[in-house]
Amino acid sequence: VWVYGNSFESFLVAVVVPEKQAIEDWAALNSKSGDYAELCSDPKARRYIQDELNQTGKKLGLRGFEMLRAVHLEPVPFSIDKDLITPTFKLKRPQLLKYYKNRVDQLYKDAKMGTAQ
């Protein structure tokens, strides 16, 4: 999970690489079919993951402005080859922002218009 907060916005967005088994379990419970990538693009799957993350945040005492307003489900894991993580699996935040810039901008736009899923 990579959570991003634009300093000019009042809320957070995230790029999430969901556990394959978790998304497949969700699909089975919700009568959804498709491969992993198709499930990641399903708006209801995005809403489910966002709700799960926000529920966990509430349990841990996060406040409203610390909750996610939009998420993108990424079927391809962050990798060293893409220069998105270090060899010790730490996220490279500037590189992640550069790589996902268009997606992050769209998440903010959708969330402001109330169309974020």
Side-chain angles (χ1 to χ4, degrees):
V1 175
W2 171 57
V3 176
Y4 177 72
N6 183 325
S7 61
F8 296 106
E9 301 292 349
S10 61
F11 58 92
L12 302 173
V13 298
V15 176
V16 178
V17 180
E19 288 288 329
K20 190 173 183 180
Q21 188 62 51
I23 202 87
E24 288 173 350
D25 290 348
W26 171 86
L29 288 172
N30 290 276
S31 303
K32 297 284 185 174
S33 61
D35 65 17
Y36 178 66
E38 290 171 340
L39 293 173
C40 284
S41 65
D42 187 298
K44 290 183 180 179
R46 289 197 306 270
R47 172 55 67 190
Y48 166 73
I49 296 293
Q50 180 179 336
D51 289 347
E52 288 292 309
L53 290 170
N54 283 335
Q55 282 179 357
T56 300
K58 282 181 185 176
K59 286 180 194 170
L60 296 174
L62 296 182
R63 295 180 296 227
F65 67 91
E66 296 171 307
M67 298 297 170
L68 298 172
R69 287 265 302 271
V71 299
H72 165 68
L73 300 185
E74 176 60 61
V76 180
F78 304 142
S79 69
I80 296 170
D81 295 336
K82 292 182 189 174
D83 196 36
L84 300 178
I85 58 173
T86 68
T88 57
F89 300 103
K90 294 177 185 146
L91 298 178
K92 291 183 168 184
R93 301 181 74 76
Q95 289 87 335
L96 283 160
L97 179 58
K98 184 177 178 184
Y99 188 83
Y100 288 107
K101 177 83 171 102
N102 292 336
R103 175 57 61 192
V104 166
D105 290 344
Q106 189 63 47
L107 288 172
Y108 273 109
K109 181 179 173 187
D110 292 348
K112 283 192 257 184
M113 294 176 61
T115 58
Q117 299 292 335

